[in-house]
Each structure stands twice: as structure tokens, then as C-alpha cells.
Amino acid sequence: MTDLLRVENLSKRFGGLLASNALNLQVAEGETHALIGPNGAGKSTLMNQLSGEILPSEGHIFFREQDITKLPVYKRTALGIARSYQLTTIFNGFSALENVMLAVQANQGHSFHFWSNARKEPQLRTPAAELLGRVGLLPRGDVVAGDLAHGEQRQLEIAMALASNPTLLLLDEPLAGMGVEDSVQIIQLLEALKKEHTILLIEHDMNAIFSLADRVSVLVYGSVIATGSVDEIRTNAEVQKAYLGTKREGQRFQHA
Ligand code: ADP
Ligand code: MG
């Protein structure tokens, strides 16, 4: 396996705080790589630097051996990196299908269209319906996004992220705030997506990680302190030390 993504010595300073601290990470082509760590460890800050929303203070990010450290978001999207945003990109007043059509349009490199035009375009409708089908939301395509259930909105966000046909999917806590039923649905969706995409997944739900992740990296105080298989990480003494109360069957890491 070759590395699709390589992070070298990445540091991000917020004033006096080192949110990323000489961070190293390798994500292999095709794997689902989970990123775990206590709240405030710097997981989202890392995602933001990978997607290009914030620039590192030091260090490098390579994607397919290309240095993308300073590339803007849209260029990373064009290279095959996509991030699922949490609710912020959904237009609540538009249907699920229309939301995906807008995402498809944004990725076809068209100049900006008026919404009313976008709604009519069959060349947007067909791929958008296909994407909704992939996330299991096609039967709900005509429902206004604001009326979708929480889990369905997450499915919609993922469909929108898929509109750029990404190689690497960045997912920051896709199960956050979800009930058991919704979680099961999203985990099934991720199981399907992992066959076609490399995934970097931030998640607190250890059951989800057990079933999804090929490898796990543990982030503490802005640095990756361990990378390994799920079993290796569960039994890693340093990891257990970093999480208070983890000795309880190693089942569920507790968050600071
Ligand atoms: P995690 O996602 O692991 O919970 P974050 O990456 O959100 O952690 O945050 C890491 C640390 O960086 C936290 O202490 C947080 O308060 C701080 N931080 C995150 N974003 C900013 C910002 N834009 N400005 C200042 N501090 C920030
Ligand atoms: Mg976070």
C-alpha cells in the first residue's frame, strides 16, 4: 500500500496554543483510517488543514506525493479531497435533490447559476439522483432539507461531498448527536463508501471504529502518539494512559 496522504511535522499555532504539534500521519490508499483523541486534542484542526480551510504554521501535507500544503480548498477538491461539512452547507429551504444538484453544479466548474436555473437542469438532476441513491436517500429526494431527520441530513451532506467524486473523504464526527437508529444507518453507509474511497474518519463512537477502521491513529495534544490496527490501539499502554478510565474492558474511551 502506498500513502495517499502524508502529513509531515505539521504544526498549527493559535496564539500560544499548539493545536497541531509536529504531527505526522500517513493514510494509505484505500484504507479507512480513524482518528481518535480527547476533546481539544486537535482533530478538527487537522481536518481543517487537510481540507485547506486553515493553513499550517509549519510542516507539509502531501497528497499523492504532491505538496498541497498551501493549496486553496477548491484545488484540493479538484485533486480528489472532499470533506463532509456538518449542516453548514445544506440549504434548508431546498429539497434534498436540489441541494445535491447545487453541489454537482459547483463541481462541474460552471460559472455560478441562479438557483431557479439549477433546478431545471437535467444534467444536474441525473447525477444528483444517482448520488442520493448511493447514500440511500433517493426516496426522500423531494423532501425539503430542513424537514429531513438528523441522520438523513448527514446522509445528504455525504452525498454532497461525493459530488466532487473524491478519492479521499474527510469525515469529522459523522455520528455526532445521533441516536442508535440513525447511527446504524450511517455506519452502513460508511461501510459501503469505504469500498470505493479512502476515508479519514474522526469518531468518538468506538463501536463504529471497531467495525469500520482498518487503522487507527491517536491524537493527543496535537501529536499522533500511536498508529495501528484497532486491536493494537486498544491494547496500547500509552493510549490507555492518555484516556482516563480506559481500562474498563477497553471498550469505550472516555473523553476529557
Ligand atoms: P478536537 O477536534 O480534537 O476536539 P480542535 O481541533 O477543535 O480539537 O481544537 C484543538 C485546540 O485548538 C483546542 O484547544 C481549541 O480550543 C483550539 N482551537 C481550535 N480552533 C481554534 C481557532 N480558530 N482559534 C483559536 N483556537 C482554536
Ligand atoms: Mg473536533
Side-chain angles (χ1 to χ4, degrees), residues 113-134:
H113 285 202
F114 221 52
W115 307 138
S116 57
N117 290 339
R119 282 191 213 196
K120 286 175 194 145
E121 297 207 31
Q123 66 265 42
L124 300 178
R125 188 172 290 273
T126 306
E130 197 263 331
L131 288 165
L132 275 183
R134 278 173 69 190

Side-chain angles (χ1 to χ4, degrees), residues 12-15 17-20 36-48 54 172-173 202 204 219 222:
K12 179 65 191 180
R13 243 175 251 108
F14 291 122
L17 176 81
L18 265 178
S20 300
I36 63 172
N39 285 332
K43 302 180 297 296
S44 295
T45 299
L46 172 62
M47 283 297 200
N48 291 336
I54 62 174
D172 192 346
E173 299 194 34
I202 297 176
H204 283 313
L219 195 63

Side-chain angles (χ1 to χ4, degrees):
M1 278 200 294
T2 55
D3 289 334
L4 181 66
L5 179 78
R6 199 169 76 249
V7 176
E8 281 183 9
N9 249 313
L10 201 73
S11 291
K12 179 65 191 180
R13 243 175 251 108
F14 291 122
L17 176 81
L18 265 178
S20 300
N21 185 4
L23 189 160
N24 290 292
L25 176 74
Q26 291 91 34
V27 177
E29 178 111 50
E31 77 172 332
T32 293
H33 196 123
L35 191 63
I36 63 172
N39 285 332
K43 302 180 297 296
S44 295
T45 299
L46 172 62
M47 283 297 200
N48 291 336
Q49 291 172 94
L50 297 178
S51 63
E53 260 118 52
I54 62 174
L55 293 180
S57 308
E58 277 163 54
H60 292 275
I61 302 166
F62 297 93
F63 184 72
R64 297 193 194 286
E65 298 303 323
Q66 179 183 347
D67 190 334
I68 62 162
T69 312
K70 294 186 173 151
L71 288 188
V73 174
Y74 77 93
K75 287 198 176 158
R76 298 184 201 211
T77 307
L79 288 174
I81 300 175
R83 168 177 192 168
S84 169
Y85 292 87
Q86 295 182 349
L87 305 177
T88 50
T89 48
I90 291 183
F91 293 96
N92 281 328
F94 288 95
S95 74
L97 183 69
E98 286 166 344
N99 268 282
V100 183
M101 286 168 70
L102 290 167
V104 170
Q105 176 183 259
N107 284 289
Q108 284 183 348
H110 287 174
S111 59
F112 205 64
H113 285 202
F114 221 52
W115 307 138
S116 57
N117 290 339
R119 282 191 213 196
K120 286 175 194 145
E121 297 207 31
Q123 66 265 42
L124 300 178
R125 188 172 290 273
T126 306
E130 197 263 331
L131 288 165
L132 275 183
R134 278 173 69 190
V135 303
L137 209 54
L138 190 55
R140 302 281 282 160
D142 291 332
V143 176
V144 168
D147 289 343
L148 292 173
H150 189 56
E152 291 176 327
Q153 291 186 341
R154 287 289 157 86
Q155 288 167 270
L156 176 57
E157 288 155 15
I158 291 171
M160 292 167 77
L162 293 176
S164 62
N165 193 24
T167 308
L168 174 64
L169 258 182
L170 305 172
L171 303 173
D172 192 346
E173 299 194 34
L175 305 178
M178 237 174 235
V180 176
E181 233 167 84
D182 284 341
S183 289
V184 168
Q185 179 119 16
I186 298 292
I187 290 169
Q188 278 173 359
L189 169 57
L190 297 181
E191 293 274 7
L193 290 177
K194 70 173 273 182
K195 296 186 183 114
E196 287 171 29
H197 303 270
T198 304
I199 298 176
L200 182 61
L201 169 73
I202 297 176
E203 191 42 65
H204 283 313
D205 182 333
M206 291 310 293
N207 290 325
I209 287 169
F210 289 151
S211 71
L212 286 168
D214 300 304
R215 288 198 300 165
V216 180
S217 285
V218 184
L219 195 63
V220 179
Y221 293 123
S223 302
V224 172
I225 62 162
T227 295
S229 68
V230 168
D231 283 343
E232 283 164 354
I233 291 302
R234 281 170 75 182
T235 54
N236 182 307
E238 214 184 325
V239 172
Q240 296 192 346
K241 235 192 303 171
Y243 286 90
L244 296 171
T246 54
K247 298 242 162 85
R248 278 179 264 147
E249 297 148 33
Q251 244 294 320
R252 198 169 173 285
F253 292 135
Q254 191 166 310
H255 315 299

